[in-house]
């Protein structure tokens, strides 16, 4: 595999060479060692759900067409798919539960490291959840909001939808989800339900299984929506901020600490403590003090809220260590390659795990706890300062990259920018420009990186093509990482790549918002859980027009998806009615029924459907066509 096939990012390509020099194995080496990958697994035709198996279905030859228990290819494929959706939902919802429980502790005065940073947001959330705030102090409101949120994890009345799903979507959409039995009543029960119904000898109707999976995906949406909003309450609602992205953000003369993972509960406090302990790092010989940077979604969280630079996204996480100048990589949960410990050992980097249920053998574990968050953060930073002295100067290779990135586009920030154009009716300029065609539609880029795709190429190629066609671009997760570190979250990118209509709108809004130029080409909406921010905007537009989400010229794209979480997100995008592109080969191709159901049949049920397309230009074309179809439906 050529380095040019590994990533499009030039700085990262240099580091891949350095890794080779230092005898460090990276994700791409392990990918090559794994070839050829098993065709049964790739198509979803291998079942290991019981110990009579593994059973493999032979798709073409004369081999078995059913498993030992009699499960068909359709059932085997569908069952595995929905377990992925449930795992994704569990991950996002655990994250959400952690935030909600912390808010409860703040409400009960038990978490001194945290406070309510955005009181207005808390009041808005309370009112959305029908909690009266009259004559209540803000801490009491926090407690009630937390408790009402936690009902979504404990409700037993199957007829009562989750609060956070019901209240954040247009009524038409909620009703259709309820009608099709894909509206969850309880996140945990929905996830457990998927595990139960996919046990050997249970649900053996592929369609029924798929619908169960869509419900799990909606549980994922619910967990994510409450996560985002309650994180804003605790840590502030993001506003546009100018910062940097790419591995060029590592500083040779600073104690470099990367926060990696997903949960802002930890990274926020590490950032707080870093400013308090900066002098200590200077006394330890690092003239620039402490330099915090982010990786993956926790990186997006602190980038959005604090302007902390983003070092990189999923696939190149090991390369941050290969710079030879990273003192510590502090990780919490999700998307942390187990390999980083071994890479860290080749340099001086401390890998610090923090969560009791996410440890890595050999790494230093500093247990994080809401009650003692500051103490843990202090310990972590001290470890990093100590590591600075152990650097091997001959191993330092920091890419010479300085890429500006404008981040921080929460739904509130977008509405606020639009309100500078029309104070009374902020959504009007956006809707008017969609109607008049200056903006043809909206695409939300989300999801990961995968060894299946040259890193970041899917995002960058498709974004440029859709921008030319006047599609407004939003991004989250590692998609936002890709688009930021490759320079598309800048005003220059707008001038260079946006079609005339889109450029005019981004310029008018940017100028009105005092940016001295256009908005960036791609609006960074945050981490993966922040995908719910885009739904907030879409719901506001749908409600204003009196239509459903599925009527809007809005598409989603996950060109480099790989994780179970990404499967869950893409699936709820389909459940909400959006044409949803995936650019990696999903492990469902062994079942024609499942493939057709997800790419065609769901269109009649939810209005949404999957567009599976690995060719990036074709994908852009197909998404644009989907946008045109929706425009036609609206008569515009
Ligand atoms: Ni989303 Fe964010 Fe990245 Fe994929 Fe992983 S970090 S939660 S799962 S790899 S986008
Ligand atoms: Fe085989 Fe059925 Fe067991 Fe799966 S559940 S391993 S198909 S016998």
């Amino acid at each position: 595999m050529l380095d040019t096939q590994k990533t499009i990012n030039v700085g990262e390509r240099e580091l891949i060479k350095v890794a080779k020099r230092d005898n460090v194995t990276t994700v791409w080496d392990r990918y090559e060692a794994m070839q050829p990958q098993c065709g049964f697994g790739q198509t979803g035709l291998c079942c290991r759900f019981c110990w009579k198996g593994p059973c493999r279905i032979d798709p073409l030859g004369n081999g078995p067409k059913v498993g030992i228990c009699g499960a068909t290819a359709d059932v085997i494929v569908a069952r595995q798919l929905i377990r992925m959706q449930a795992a994704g939902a569990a991950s996002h919802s655990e994250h959400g539960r952690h935030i909600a429980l912390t808010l409860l502790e703040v409400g009960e005065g038990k978490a001194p490291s945290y406070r309510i940073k955005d009181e207005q947001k808390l009041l808005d959330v309370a009112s959305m959840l029908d909690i009266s705030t009259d004559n209540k102090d803000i801490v009491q409101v926090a407690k009630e909001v937390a408790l009402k949120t936690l009902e979504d994890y404990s409700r037993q009345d199957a007829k009562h939808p989750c609060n956070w799903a019901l209240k954040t979507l247009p009524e038409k959409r909620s009703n259709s989800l309820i009608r099709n039995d894909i509206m969850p009543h309880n996140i945990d029960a929905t996830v457990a339900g998927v595990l139960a119904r996919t046990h050997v000898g249970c649900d053996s109707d592929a369609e029924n299984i798929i619908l169960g999976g869509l419900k799990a995906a909606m549980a994922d949406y619910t967990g994510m929506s409450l996560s985002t909003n309650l994180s804003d309450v605790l840590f502030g609602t993001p506003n546009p901020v100018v910062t940097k992205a790419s591995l060029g953000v590592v500083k040779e003369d600073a104690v470099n600490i990367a926060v990696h993972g997903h949960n802002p509960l930890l990274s926020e406090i590490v950032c707080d403590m870093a400013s308090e302990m900066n002098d200590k790092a200077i006394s330890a010989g690092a003239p620039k003090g402490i330099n915090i940077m982010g990786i993956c979604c926790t990186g997006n969280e602190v980038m959005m809220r604090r302007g902390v630079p983003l070092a990189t996204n999923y696939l190149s996480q090991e390369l941050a260590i290969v710079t030879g100048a990273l003192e510590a990589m502090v990780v919490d949960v999700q998307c942390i390659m187990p390999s980083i410990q071994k890479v860290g050992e080749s340099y001086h980097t401390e890998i610090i795990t923090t969560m009791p249920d996410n440890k890595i053998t050999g790494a230093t574990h500093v247990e994080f706890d809401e009650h003692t968050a500051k103490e843990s953060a202090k310990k972590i930073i001290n470890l990093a300062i100590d590591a600075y002295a152990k650097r091997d100067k001959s191993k330092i290779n920091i890419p010479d990259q300085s890429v500006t990135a404008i981040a921080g586009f929460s739904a509130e920030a977008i509405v606020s920018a639009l309100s500078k154009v029309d104070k009374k009716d902020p959504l009007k300029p956006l809707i008017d420009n969609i109607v008049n065609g200056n903006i043809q539609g909206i695409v939300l880029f989300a999801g990961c990186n995968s060894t299946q795709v040259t890193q970041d190429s899917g995002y960058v190629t498709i974004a440029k093509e859709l921008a030319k066609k006047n599609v407004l671009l939003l991004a989250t997760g590692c998609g936002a990482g890709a688009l930021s570190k490759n320079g598309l979250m800048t005003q220059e990118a707008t001038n260079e790549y946006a079609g005339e209509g889109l450029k005019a709108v981004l310029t008018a809004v940017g100028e009105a918002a005092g940016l001295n130029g256009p908005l960036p080409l791609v609006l960074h909406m945050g981490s993966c859980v922040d995908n719910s921010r885009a739904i907030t905007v879409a719901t506001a537009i749908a409600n204003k027009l009196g239509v459903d989400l599925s009527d809007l010229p809005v598409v989603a794209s996950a060109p480099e998806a790989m994780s179970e979480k990404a499967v869950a997100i893409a699936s709820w995008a389909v459940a909400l009615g959006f044409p949803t592109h995936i650019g990696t080969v999903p492990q469902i191709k062994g079942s024609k029924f499942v493939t057709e159901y997800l790419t065609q049949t769901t269109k009649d049920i939810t209005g949404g459907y999957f567009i599976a397309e690995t060719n990036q230009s074709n994908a852009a074309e197909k998404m644009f066509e989907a946008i045109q179809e929706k425009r036609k439906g609206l008569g515009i």
Side-chain angles (χ1 to χ4, degrees), residues 92 262 296-297 314 335 447-449 477-478 528 562-563 565:
H92 286 136
H262 284 77
C296 284
C297 281
Y314 175 76
C335 303
C448 329
N449 301 130
C478 288
C528 280
M562 64 87 204
S563 72
K565 290 180 290 168

Side-chain angles (χ1 to χ4, degrees), residues 47-55 67-71 76 79 200-201:
C47 181
R48 291 176 298 108
F49 281 12
C50 87
W51 286 357
K52 299 194 299 306
C55 297
I68 297 172
C69 67
I76 288 176
R79 282 196 307 209
V200 57

Side-chain angles (χ1 to χ4, degrees), residues 587-620:
Q587 294 161 359
I588 62 166
K589 290 214 156 165
S591 165
K592 195 162 168 244
F593 177 83
V594 175
T595 309
E596 282 183 2
Y597 202 91
L598 293 173
T599 52
Q600 293 165 33
T601 314
T602 51
K603 196 171 179 180
D604 299 326
I605 302 171
T606 70
Y609 54 94
F610 276 101
I611 301 169
E613 179 56 71
T614 53
N615 179 295
Q616 292 160 0
S617 297
N618 292 351

Side-chain angles (χ1 to χ4, degrees), residues 109-348:
K110 292 185 198 153
S113 304
Y114 301 92
R115 64 190 177 86
I116 296 150
K117 256 200 197 153
D118 191 340
E119 294 193 0
Q120 188 53 49
K121 179 102 188 203
L122 178 60
L123 295 173
D124 293 345
V125 167
S127 117
M128 183 196 74
L129 293 174
D130 300 326
I131 294 170
S132 131
T133 53
D134 300 345
N135 305 320
K136 286 179 192 159
D137 72 41
I138 201 76
V139 177
Q140 175 64 21
V141 177
K143 184 174 171 182
E144 291 183 26
V145 163
L147 288 172
K148 186 115 191 198
T149 297
L150 290 165
E151 285 174 11
D152 283 354
Y153 292 86
S154 60
R155 179 182 301 105
Q156 297 305 322
D157 176 3
K159 292 226 153 43
H160 189 303
C162 284
N163 295 323
W164 278 91
L166 188 67
K167 301 286 185 184
T168 54
L169 297 171
E171 210 179 313
K172 283 188 181 167
R173 182 54 24 177
S174 304
N175 289 341
S176 109
L177 292 167
I178 293 168
R179 210 172 39 245
N180 292 305
D181 194 22
I182 43 184
M183 179 66 117
H185 71 288
N186 170 329
I187 296 168
D188 289 347
T190 306
V191 170
V194 167
L195 291 180
R197 75 197 291 165
T198 50
H199 183 273
V200 57
C202 294
D203 203 349
S204 301
D205 179 73
E207 175 171 29
N208 204 41
I209 295 171
I210 295 171
L211 292 173
L214 289 181
K215 194 195 265 194
M218 283 307 302
D220 182 88
Y221 167 78
T222 308
M224 152 167 320
S225 165
L226 65 91
S227 262
T228 304
N229 286 291
L230 300 188
S231 295
D232 285 354
V233 168
L234 286 172
F235 306 119
T237 305
N239 273 310
V241 54
V242 183
T243 179
K244 298 255 180 243
S246 85
L247 282 165
V249 305
V250 178
K251 288 187 196 154
E252 178 145 14
D253 40 9
V255 170
N256 291 297
I257 302 176
V259 288
H260 176 13
H262 284 77
N263 202 326
L265 285 174
L266 169 74
S267 49
E268 280 285 330
I269 307 296
V270 171
C271 291
D272 282 346
M273 294 313 289
S275 14
E276 281 185 28
M277 295 171 72
N278 204 43
D279 288 345
K280 190 165 180 198
I282 297 174
S283 326
K288 290 247 170 75
I290 297 172
N291 179 34
I292 305 268
M293 68 201 73
I295 297 181
C296 284
C297 281
T298 214
N300 287 320
E301 298 269 354
V302 288
M303 185 190 206
M304 291 277 282
R305 293 203 178 88
R306 294 175 173 256
V308 168
L310 186 79
T312 195
N313 47 354
Y314 175 76
L315 210 59
S316 40
Q317 56 185 273
E318 296 162 306
L319 300 180
I321 304 172
V322 177
T323 60
L326 190 67
E327 276 55 59
M329 189 178 270
V330 190
V331 305
D332 49 57
V333 293
Q334 301 165 16
C335 303
I336 298 144
M337 289 189 197
S339 63
I340 55 170
Q341 175 56 25
K342 193 135 192 276
V343 180
E345 284 165 14
S346 297
Y347 300 88
H348 69 298

Side-chain angles (χ1 to χ4, degrees), residues 366-492:
V366 177
E367 185 116 337
F368 169 80
D369 178 308
E370 296 76 65
H371 308 104
T372 54
K374 286 193 175 165
E375 287 73 46
S376 311
K378 229 188 229 167
K379 242 189 240 169
I380 289 168
I381 294 169
N382 276 326
L383 282 168
I385 295 176
D386 292 346
Y388 183 77
K390 297 181 205 149
R391 268 191 195 181
D392 176 348
K393 289 225 164 76
S394 70
K395 279 191 163 174
I396 296 179
N397 283 281
I398 301 168
D400 185 17
Q401 280 180 303
S402 174
V403 185
T404 298
I406 307 178
F409 290 92
S410 57
E412 289 84 345
I414 292 176
V415 170
S416 148
L418 289 167
S419 74
K420 303 284 166 20
V421 180
D422 189 332
K423 197 158 179 240
K424 272 210 230 94
D425 194 354
L427 287 178
K428 190 168 179 290
L430 178 60
I431 292 175
D432 285 351
N433 279 295
I434 293 175
V435 172
N436 71 21
N438 271 338
I439 293 177
Q440 290 290 313
I442 303 176
V443 59
L444 169 65
F445 288 106
C448 329
N449 301 130
S450 166
T451 37
Q452 281 192 32
V453 183
T454 303
Q455 185 185 10
D456 301 342
S457 68
Y459 296 103
V460 170
T461 309
I462 298 174
K464 283 182 185 168
E465 294 201 12
L466 289 178
K468 206 170 26 180
K469 293 179 191 287
N470 299 304
V471 176
L472 178 65
L473 316 173
L474 314 175
T476 60
C478 288
L483 295 161
S484 61
K485 71 192 169 114
N486 292 294
L488 294 191
M489 289 185 178
T490 57
Q491 297 181 308
E492 292 74 21

